[in-house]
Amino acid sequence: MNNLLNVKLSFNHEPNRSGGGARNLNKSRTTKLETISNLIEDLRRVKDFFNKNKFIENVLIDAYYNDIIAKSGRIQELFKTSRECNDYIVGARFTSSPIGNEKHIITYYVARDTIDKTIEEMEDARDLIEFQLGGEATSSNFDSSDATIDYLKYKTPRSKLRDVVIDCSVLEKFDVPNAVSYLEKDQIIVTFFKTEARLDDLLYKLGITREKYLFSYAGENTLSVTRETYKILFDNVPYLMSMAMSDIADLLPTETNETECETPQIPSPHQEPTIGVIDTLFNEKVYFHEWVDYRETLDEAEKYLIKDESYSHGTSVSSIIVDGPSLNPSLDDGCGRFRVRHFGVSFGTISPTRLIKKIEKIVTENSDIHVWNLSLGTNEEVSKNFISFDAAVLDEIQRKKNVIFIVAGTNDINRVNETDPYKKVGSPADSLNSIVVNSVKRDGRPCSYSRNGKVLSFFNKPDVSYYGGDFDERINVCSNHEIEGVCGTSFAAPWIARKACYLIDKLGFSRELAKALIIDSAAGWNYAKNSGINRNVVGYGVVPKRIEEIVEADNSEIKFVVQGSSNTYITTNYSIPVPKDEDKTNYVARATLCYFPECNRLQGVDYTQRELSIRFGRVTDKGIKDINENTQEEEGFYNSERKARNDFRKWENVKFISNLLKVDKTRSFKSYGDGLWGLAITSKERRNEAKKEDLNFGVVITLRHTKGKNRINDFKHACLLRGYIVNEVKIDNQINIYEQAQTDIKFE
């Protein structure tokens, strides 16, 4: 086996040199007289509605687009003032169409006089279409160089008038927002569109007193309210509410049975790294208690509700992290034992708002811990239009604190038959920055209780799967003194937490690289071939049992990791010296990119605020010949937003690309010039005014020689000649380095 290589490449940082240019009407779109007339009437109707409902100063407008629309393809002129139209966006969601046919609904918050001005400009555009274009604007009669349109007849300037016509070509209608439907829940988290209005003033006007609501931890736009208060809001100001979800859920019960496994013997902890566990309570009388630093966070009222079963779930989770291989020898991962700092945050009932406040405090006060296991989840399915409250805060914590959460994919214990439809995952398994783990049986098939993604109809969740047992093949845990057999995603996640901690704390990888290595090992060479097979349930695949399978490669493979930071439009290296045979290259490749972007829950389905796209492949005189044929940044190519998302995973914070299965395994390929390969990371922002901050990324690259040759030494030598630092990741050496670093030095 070949060891993993850590290659420190030098990157070039390049600005965006592409020019803007004049807008034209897309050849596939038209603006009809009927369409623009209806849009004008829609705006008048929306304006009249808000003239009668003056809880806010300006106007909230839902713009229904006729497709999933890119930032550059959205309306640019209709609501433009001294600020761009995109600056007025306060929410985004999808229509209720079947998956694959969704269209954008984007909510804008604009001034009332802006609506009047927009109507006047649209009336000019309507007259132009009716009297000069025969009732329909098309690319041929509107963009043609010999078009004889008299723009001087209209008050609206030529450039603005053209942009108004183009804007209307991507719209179906305008309407008053109706983002939420009524919920029958006892306690509800409500998020409001961002306006200038203070929520406490709004509630006062509605007769809602302060004791009937609680400002949630995540910010001033979110409240936790009772059912009665929610009904008042829904009956009076539904158009101001962008999201609503339950604020209380029972922890799903764990079924247990007796097992013949004997209680293992365990030594005292020494220098092992620590994993944070946030869960139900911990039983300090179990055999491995010395390995667990237990800290209870319940208040006095909650302590009266503690029962014996309040200790079972959390204790079981920690037992896997500390001593899982001893309890389950067939799942020995080679990672050894880990210490646990266990925080008991629940006795069996979860309030996301209370839980998240505790988690933020716990992570902040325990900055020495890099990997956190969260096996708590709710039964309620996540929304297709917004990230759950608790998942969004987890994403923000991870972005700011340089930690990673391993989150259980939640269970559906009422799903009995494999033919039964899957429920969507429950929160916080829709956290994008976390590694979300589902459970599989020993043969790799999804477990009977599995739930599925996607998240926001697009993001690939869960990330990976692992062995969490099933009703007929249990995982052994230690719970309340006894060894018991259990099953659930709660008991798959801790195994991945062990691997993540091993990679980060013992082998010294960044969290970006640790996540990329885990996902890459699950996807392997077969992910592209298994298109559509259980992807929404198992994610990128099942993570290998042994840690060696993550950090080693076959003798015919060169597997290396690179990391860097994106702070400009494009970050590149065009000098990766992949070995060639004479004038040919015999390598196929795959690559996995991971990063932790800023996210914004208030933006709905447009949740991730920064996009990194990846291109990797042979360098030609025209640039990189990408293994995934990514043409997003290539001049002369047009990709619709739907295609860019489907083919290149645009806006997703994990990118996996592979070309192995597109070619004959013994085929050679043309080698261009010096035979170098290149890597390009391109950055895009949702917001025009966004500050370009450094965003760390990690990439795992695997090259396989199609004729089975081992050329890793040639690759290492060529990298060194180019001045790159190459470190071979040998597990034994890294463990020795880790142990020496943990040794206390006594000075005389």
mmCIF file of all heavy atoms in Angstrom, residues 509-545:
data_model
loop_
_atom_site.group_PDB
_atom_site.id
_atom_site.type_symbol
_atom_site.label_atom_id
_atom_site.label_comp_id
_atom_site.label_asym_id
_atom_site.label_seq_id
_atom_site.Cartn_x
_atom_site.Cartn_y
_atom_site.Cartn_z
ATOM 1 N N PHE A 509 -4.352 16.653 10.698
ATOM 2 C CA PHE A 509 -5.017 17.252 9.549
ATOM 3 C C PHE A 509 -5.968 18.361 10.001
ATOM 4 O O PHE A 509 -6.495 18.344 11.113
ATOM 5 C CB PHE A 509 -5.809 16.202 8.765
ATOM 6 C CG PHE A 509 -4.954 15.224 8.015
ATOM 7 C CD1 PHE A 509 -4.917 13.894 8.385
ATOM 8 C CD2 PHE A 509 -4.185 15.638 6.937
ATOM 9 C CE1 PHE A 509 -4.131 12.984 7.698
ATOM 10 C CE2 PHE A 509 -3.399 14.741 6.236
ATOM 11 C CZ PHE A 509 -3.365 13.408 6.618
ATOM 12 N N SER A 510 -6.222 19.308 9.096
ATOM 13 C CA SER A 510 -7.248 20.318 9.350
ATOM 14 C C SER A 510 -8.618 19.662 9.286
ATOM 15 O O SER A 510 -8.781 18.571 8.755
ATOM 16 C CB SER A 510 -7.160 21.436 8.301
ATOM 17 O OG SER A 510 -7.527 20.927 7.014
ATOM 18 N N ARG A 511 -9.624 20.337 9.811
ATOM 19 C CA ARG A 511 -10.982 19.781 9.761
ATOM 20 C C ARG A 511 -11.471 19.684 8.322
ATOM 21 O O ARG A 511 -12.232 18.774 7.980
ATOM 22 C CB ARG A 511 -11.941 20.630 10.592
ATOM 23 C CG ARG A 511 -12.010 22.067 10.080
ATOM 24 C CD ARG A 511 -13.015 22.901 10.786
ATOM 25 N NE ARG A 511 -13.080 24.234 10.192
ATOM 26 C CZ ARG A 511 -14.041 25.085 10.413
ATOM 27 N NH1 ARG A 511 -15.052 24.740 11.197
ATOM 28 N NH2 ARG A 511 -14.040 26.276 9.872
ATOM 29 N N GLU A 512 -11.038 20.633 7.451
ATOM 30 C CA GLU A 512 -11.425 20.570 6.049
ATOM 31 C C GLU A 512 -10.895 19.296 5.403
ATOM 32 O O GLU A 512 -11.609 18.611 4.662
ATOM 33 C CB GLU A 512 -10.905 21.795 5.288
ATOM 34 C CG GLU A 512 -11.572 23.103 5.635
ATOM 35 C CD GLU A 512 -11.035 23.752 6.904
ATOM 36 O OE1 GLU A 512 -10.006 23.264 7.429
ATOM 37 O OE2 GLU A 512 -11.625 24.738 7.383
ATOM 38 N N LEU A 513 -9.628 18.970 5.678
ATOM 39 C CA LEU A 513 -9.048 17.762 5.103
ATOM 40 C C LEU A 513 -9.622 16.509 5.743
ATOM 41 O O LEU A 513 -9.833 15.493 5.060
ATOM 42 C CB LEU A 513 -7.523 17.781 5.258
ATOM 43 C CG LEU A 513 -6.764 18.682 4.278
ATOM 44 C CD1 LEU A 513 -5.271 18.656 4.576
ATOM 45 C CD2 LEU A 513 -7.026 18.266 2.842
ATOM 46 N N ALA A 514 -9.889 16.553 7.044
ATOM 47 C CA ALA A 514 -10.476 15.379 7.711
ATOM 48 C C ALA A 514 -11.837 15.054 7.104
ATOM 49 O O ALA A 514 -12.140 13.888 6.811
ATOM 50 C CB ALA A 514 -10.602 15.643 9.211
ATOM 51 N N LYS A 515 -12.657 16.068 6.902
ATOM 52 C CA LYS A 515 -13.976 15.843 6.303
ATOM 53 C C LYS A 515 -13.828 15.338 4.872
ATOM 54 O O LYS A 515 -14.532 14.401 4.454
ATOM 55 C CB LYS A 515 -14.789 17.138 6.330
ATOM 56 C CG LYS A 515 -16.206 16.995 5.789
ATOM 57 C CD LYS A 515 -16.992 18.297 5.956
ATOM 58 C CE LYS A 515 -18.415 18.154 5.411
ATOM 59 N NZ LYS A 515 -19.198 19.404 5.568
ATOM 60 N N ALA A 516 -12.907 15.929 4.115
ATOM 61 C CA ALA A 516 -12.699 15.502 2.730
ATOM 62 C C ALA A 516 -12.203 14.065 2.663
ATOM 63 O O ALA A 516 -12.628 13.290 1.797
ATOM 64 C CB ALA A 516 -11.713 16.444 2.039
ATOM 65 N N LEU A 517 -11.300 13.680 3.566
ATOM 66 C CA LEU A 517 -10.771 12.314 3.571
ATOM 67 C C LEU A 517 -11.867 11.299 3.880
ATOM 68 O O LEU A 517 -11.939 10.232 3.265
ATOM 69 C CB LEU A 517 -9.638 12.198 4.591
ATOM 70 C CG LEU A 517 -8.277 12.742 4.148
ATOM 71 C CD1 LEU A 517 -7.362 12.948 5.348
ATOM 72 C CD2 LEU A 517 -7.623 11.818 3.130
ATOM 73 N N ILE A 518 -12.723 11.630 4.839
ATOM 74 C CA ILE A 518 -13.803 10.712 5.209
ATOM 75 C C ILE A 518 -14.786 10.548 4.058
ATOM 76 O O ILE A 518 -15.190 9.434 3.701
ATOM 77 C CB ILE A 518 -14.499 11.215 6.489
ATOM 78 C CG1 ILE A 518 -13.578 11.001 7.699
ATOM 79 C CG2 ILE A 518 -15.834 10.506 6.710
ATOM 80 C CD1 ILE A 518 -14.057 11.671 8.975
ATOM 81 N N ILE A 519 -15.181 11.664 3.448
ATOM 82 C CA ILE A 519 -16.139 11.591 2.341
ATOM 83 C C ILE A 519 -15.508 10.912 1.127
ATOM 84 O O ILE A 519 -16.141 10.078 0.467
ATOM 85 C CB ILE A 519 -16.650 13.001 1.998
ATOM 86 C CG1 ILE A 519 -17.572 13.498 3.123
ATOM 87 C CG2 ILE A 519 -17.376 13.018 0.658
ATOM 88 C CD1 ILE A 519 -18.043 14.917 2.961
ATOM 89 N N ASP A 520 -14.259 11.231 0.830
ATOM 90 C CA ASP A 520 -13.584 10.621 -0.310
ATOM 91 C C ASP A 520 -13.463 9.109 -0.140
ATOM 92 O O ASP A 520 -13.654 8.346 -1.095
ATOM 93 C CB ASP A 520 -12.198 11.243 -0.487
ATOM 94 C CG ASP A 520 -11.459 10.683 -1.681
ATOM 95 O OD1 ASP A 520 -11.731 11.138 -2.802
ATOM 96 O OD2 ASP A 520 -10.621 9.773 -1.494
ATOM 97 N N SER A 521 -13.166 8.667 1.076
ATOM 98 C CA SER A 521 -13.026 7.225 1.313
ATOM 99 C C SER A 521 -14.362 6.512 1.149
ATOM 100 O O SER A 521 -14.414 5.348 0.740
ATOM 101 C CB SER A 521 -12.469 6.971 2.722
ATOM 102 O OG SER A 521 -13.421 7.299 3.727
ATOM 103 N N ALA A 522 -15.459 7.194 1.475
ATOM 104 C CA ALA A 522 -16.785 6.592 1.319
ATOM 105 C C ALA A 522 -17.202 6.538 -0.147
ATOM 106 O O ALA A 522 -17.816 5.566 -0.596
ATOM 107 C CB ALA A 522 -17.808 7.386 2.127
ATOM 108 N N ALA A 523 -16.851 7.568 -0.903
ATOM 109 C CA ALA A 523 -17.251 7.633 -2.312
ATOM 110 C C ALA A 523 -16.436 6.671 -3.166
ATOM 111 O O ALA A 523 -16.982 5.931 -3.994
ATOM 112 C CB ALA A 523 -17.098 9.067 -2.826
ATOM 113 N N GLY A 524 -15.115 6.698 -2.972
ATOM 114 C CA GLY A 524 -14.249 5.816 -3.736
ATOM 115 C C GLY A 524 -14.390 6.011 -5.237
ATOM 116 O O GLY A 524 -14.790 7.060 -5.739
ATOM 117 N N TRP A 525 -14.077 4.962 -5.984
ATOM 118 C CA TRP A 525 -14.147 5.015 -7.430
ATOM 119 C C TRP A 525 -15.540 4.655 -7.960
ATOM 120 O O TRP A 525 -15.808 4.818 -9.155
ATOM 121 C CB TRP A 525 -13.132 4.063 -8.055
ATOM 122 C CG TRP A 525 -11.714 4.455 -7.804
ATOM 123 C CD1 TRP A 525 -10.817 3.814 -7.006
ATOM 124 C CD2 TRP A 525 -11.017 5.579 -8.354
ATOM 125 N NE1 TRP A 525 -9.607 4.464 -7.021
ATOM 126 C CE2 TRP A 525 -9.700 5.554 -7.847
ATOM 127 C CE3 TRP A 525 -11.373 6.607 -9.226
ATOM 128 C CZ2 TRP A 525 -8.745 6.505 -8.183
ATOM 129 C CZ3 TRP A 525 -10.419 7.557 -9.561
ATOM 130 C CH2 TRP A 525 -9.122 7.510 -9.045
ATOM 131 N N ASN A 526 -16.413 4.170 -7.103
ATOM 132 C CA ASN A 526 -17.694 3.659 -7.582
ATOM 133 C C ASN A 526 -18.847 4.651 -7.458
ATOM 134 O O ASN A 526 -19.938 4.389 -7.941
ATOM 135 C CB ASN A 526 -18.071 2.377 -6.832
ATOM 136 C CG ASN A 526 -17.149 1.228 -7.166
ATOM 137 O OD1 ASN A 526 -16.748 1.064 -8.317
ATOM 138 N ND2 ASN A 526 -16.785 0.440 -6.160
ATOM 139 N N TYR A 527 -18.612 5.785 -6.785
ATOM 140 C CA TYR A 527 -19.719 6.709 -6.547
ATOM 141 C C TYR A 527 -20.351 7.196 -7.851
ATOM 142 O O TYR A 527 -21.574 7.236 -7.990
ATOM 143 C CB TYR A 527 -19.243 7.900 -5.722
ATOM 144 C CG TYR A 527 -20.325 8.915 -5.436
ATOM 145 C CD1 TYR A 527 -21.326 8.632 -4.510
ATOM 146 C CD2 TYR A 527 -20.358 10.144 -6.094
ATOM 147 C CE1 TYR A 527 -22.332 9.552 -4.247
ATOM 148 C CE2 TYR A 527 -21.355 11.064 -5.839
ATOM 149 C CZ TYR A 527 -22.339 10.768 -4.915
ATOM 150 O OH TYR A 527 -23.332 11.676 -4.664
ATOM 151 N N ALA A 528 -19.495 7.559 -8.823
ATOM 152 C CA ALA A 528 -20.028 8.055 -10.094
ATOM 153 C C ALA A 528 -20.830 6.978 -10.812
ATOM 154 O O ALA A 528 -21.835 7.255 -11.465
ATOM 155 C CB ALA A 528 -18.888 8.551 -10.987
ATOM 156 N N LYS A 529 -20.390 5.727 -10.675
ATOM 157 C CA LYS A 529 -21.088 4.627 -11.353
ATOM 158 C C LYS A 529 -22.442 4.360 -10.722
ATOM 159 O O LYS A 529 -23.409 4.040 -11.413
ATOM 160 C CB LYS A 529 -20.224 3.366 -11.289
ATOM 161 C CG LYS A 529 -20.864 2.149 -11.958
ATOM 162 C CD LYS A 529 -19.921 0.952 -11.933
ATOM 163 C CE LYS A 529 -19.757 0.419 -10.522
ATOM 164 N NZ LYS A 529 -18.954 -0.823 -10.493
ATOM 165 N N ASN A 530 -22.541 4.494 -9.400
ATOM 166 C CA ASN A 530 -23.781 4.178 -8.687
ATOM 167 C C ASN A 530 -24.730 5.373 -8.683
ATOM 168 O O ASN A 530 -25.268 5.760 -7.652
ATOM 169 C CB ASN A 530 -23.472 3.753 -7.247
ATOM 170 C CG ASN A 530 -22.641 2.495 -7.200
ATOM 171 O OD1 ASN A 530 -22.702 1.678 -8.115
ATOM 172 N ND2 ASN A 530 -21.858 2.340 -6.151
ATOM 173 N N SER A 531 -24.904 5.970 -9.824
ATOM 174 C CA SER A 531 -25.736 7.173 -9.935
ATOM 175 C C SER A 531 -27.168 6.882 -9.506
ATOM 176 O O SER A 531 -27.848 6.033 -10.066
ATOM 177 C CB SER A 531 -25.718 7.684 -11.383
ATOM 178 O OG SER A 531 -26.564 8.791 -11.521
ATOM 179 N N GLY A 532 -27.611 7.599 -8.482
ATOM 180 C CA GLY A 532 -28.998 7.508 -8.053
ATOM 181 C C GLY A 532 -29.310 6.350 -7.131
ATOM 182 O O GLY A 532 -30.416 6.269 -6.594
ATOM 183 N N ILE A 533 -28.379 5.422 -6.899
ATOM 184 C CA ILE A 533 -28.664 4.255 -6.065
ATOM 185 C C ILE A 533 -28.513 4.632 -4.591
ATOM 186 O O ILE A 533 -27.405 4.741 -4.064
ATOM 187 C CB ILE A 533 -27.724 3.082 -6.416
ATOM 188 C CG1 ILE A 533 -27.892 2.683 -7.884
ATOM 189 C CG2 ILE A 533 -28.002 1.894 -5.511
ATOM 190 C CD1 ILE A 533 -26.977 1.571 -8.339
ATOM 191 N N ASN A 534 -29.636 4.852 -3.932
ATOM 192 C CA ASN A 534 -29.660 5.154 -2.489
ATOM 193 C C ASN A 534 -28.819 6.370 -2.107
ATOM 194 O O ASN A 534 -28.441 6.516 -0.943
ATOM 195 C CB ASN A 534 -29.176 3.940 -1.673
ATOM 196 C CG ASN A 534 -30.169 2.800 -1.700
ATOM 197 O OD1 ASN A 534 -31.376 3.027 -1.763
ATOM 198 N ND2 ASN A 534 -29.671 1.584 -1.662
ATOM 199 N N ARG A 535 -28.512 7.248 -3.055
ATOM 200 C CA ARG A 535 -27.656 8.386 -2.711
ATOM 201 C C ARG A 535 -28.273 9.270 -1.639
ATOM 202 O O ARG A 535 -27.565 9.814 -0.788
ATOM 203 C CB ARG A 535 -27.379 9.226 -3.964
ATOM 204 C CG ARG A 535 -26.275 8.675 -4.841
ATOM 205 C CD ARG A 535 -25.868 9.701 -5.879
ATOM 206 N NE ARG A 535 -24.814 9.189 -6.732
ATOM 207 C CZ ARG A 535 -24.248 9.900 -7.706
ATOM 208 N NH1 ARG A 535 -24.644 11.135 -7.925
ATOM 209 N NH2 ARG A 535 -23.295 9.386 -8.446
ATOM 210 N N ASN A 536 -29.582 9.455 -1.693
ATOM 211 C CA ASN A 536 -30.229 10.320 -0.713
ATOM 212 C C ASN A 536 -30.287 9.685 0.667
ATOM 213 O O ASN A 536 -30.643 10.353 1.643
ATOM 214 C CB ASN A 536 -31.650 10.662 -1.173
ATOM 215 C CG ASN A 536 -31.658 11.522 -2.419
ATOM 216 O OD1 ASN A 536 -30.638 12.079 -2.804
ATOM 217 N ND2 ASN A 536 -32.803 11.620 -3.056
ATOM 218 N N VAL A 537 -29.968 8.386 0.756
ATOM 219 C CA VAL A 537 -30.035 7.678 2.037
ATOM 220 C C VAL A 537 -28.639 7.413 2.605
ATOM 221 O O VAL A 537 -28.401 7.624 3.790
ATOM 222 C CB VAL A 537 -30.797 6.346 1.887
ATOM 223 C CG1 VAL A 537 -30.934 5.645 3.237
ATOM 224 C CG2 VAL A 537 -32.174 6.586 1.285
ATOM 225 N N VAL A 538 -27.717 6.957 1.768
ATOM 226 C CA VAL A 538 -26.371 6.627 2.261
ATOM 227 C C VAL A 538 -25.373 7.742 2.013
ATOM 228 O O VAL A 538 -24.223 7.649 2.444
ATOM 229 C CB VAL A 538 -25.851 5.313 1.640
ATOM 230 C CG1 VAL A 538 -26.764 4.162 1.960
ATOM 231 C CG2 VAL A 538 -25.665 5.447 0.127
ATOM 232 N N GLY A 539 -25.768 8.814 1.337
ATOM 233 C CA GLY A 539 -24.836 9.899 1.065
ATOM 234 C C GLY A 539 -23.789 9.482 0.052
ATOM 235 O O GLY A 539 -24.090 8.821 -0.943
ATOM 236 N N TYR A 540 -22.539 9.852 0.310
ATOM 237 C CA TYR A 540 -21.459 9.496 -0.610
ATOM 238 C C TYR A 540 -21.056 8.033 -0.493
ATOM 239 O O TYR A 540 -20.285 7.543 -1.318
ATOM 240 C CB TYR A 540 -20.243 10.394 -0.376
ATOM 241 C CG TYR A 540 -20.426 11.774 -0.952
ATOM 242 C CD1 TYR A 540 -20.844 12.835 -0.150
ATOM 243 C CD2 TYR A 540 -20.214 12.023 -2.301
ATOM 244 C CE1 TYR A 540 -21.030 14.106 -0.679
ATOM 245 C CE2 TYR A 540 -20.404 13.287 -2.840
ATOM 246 C CZ TYR A 540 -20.812 14.318 -2.025
ATOM 247 O OH TYR A 540 -21.011 15.571 -2.556
ATOM 248 N N GLY A 541 -21.570 7.343 0.511
ATOM 249 C CA GLY A 541 -21.262 5.926 0.635
ATOM 250 C C GLY A 541 -20.930 5.548 2.064
ATOM 251 O O GLY A 541 -21.081 6.343 3.005
ATOM 252 N N VAL A 542 -20.482 4.307 2.235
ATOM 253 C CA VAL A 542 -20.143 3.768 3.552
ATOM 254 C C VAL A 542 -18.653 3.980 3.806
ATOM 255 O O VAL A 542 -17.811 3.578 2.991
ATOM 256 C CB VAL A 542 -20.480 2.269 3.630
ATOM 257 C CG1 VAL A 542 -20.178 1.730 5.030
ATOM 258 C CG2 VAL A 542 -21.949 2.035 3.274
ATOM 259 N N VAL A 543 -18.317 4.592 4.922
ATOM 260 C CA VAL A 543 -16.920 4.842 5.274
ATOM 261 C C VAL A 543 -16.239 3.508 5.605
ATOM 262 O O VAL A 543 -16.813 2.679 6.314
ATOM 263 C CB VAL A 543 -16.826 5.803 6.476
ATOM 264 C CG1 VAL A 543 -15.373 6.060 6.861
ATOM 265 C CG2 VAL A 543 -17.539 7.119 6.154
ATOM 266 N N PRO A 544 -15.023 3.261 5.108
ATOM 267 C CA PRO A 544 -14.317 2.010 5.436
ATOM 268 C C PRO A 544 -14.123 1.851 6.941
ATOM 269 O O PRO A 544 -14.013 2.840 7.678
ATOM 270 C CB PRO A 544 -12.967 2.170 4.728
ATOM 271 C CG PRO A 544 -13.203 3.177 3.653
ATOM 272 C CD PRO A 544 -14.260 4.105 4.186
ATOM 273 N N LYS A 545 -14.065 0.606 7.388
ATOM 274 C CA LYS A 545 -13.907 0.348 8.818
ATOM 275 C C LYS A 545 -12.552 0.823 9.340
ATOM 276 O O LYS A 545 -12.462 1.526 10.340
ATOM 277 C CB LYS A 545 -14.065 -1.146 9.116
ATOM 278 C CG LYS A 545 -15.467 -1.679 8.944
ATOM 279 C CD LYS A 545 -15.518 -3.171 9.280
ATOM 280 C CE LYS A 545 -16.900 -3.745 9.013
ATOM 281 N NZ LYS A 545 -16.952 -5.196 9.301
#
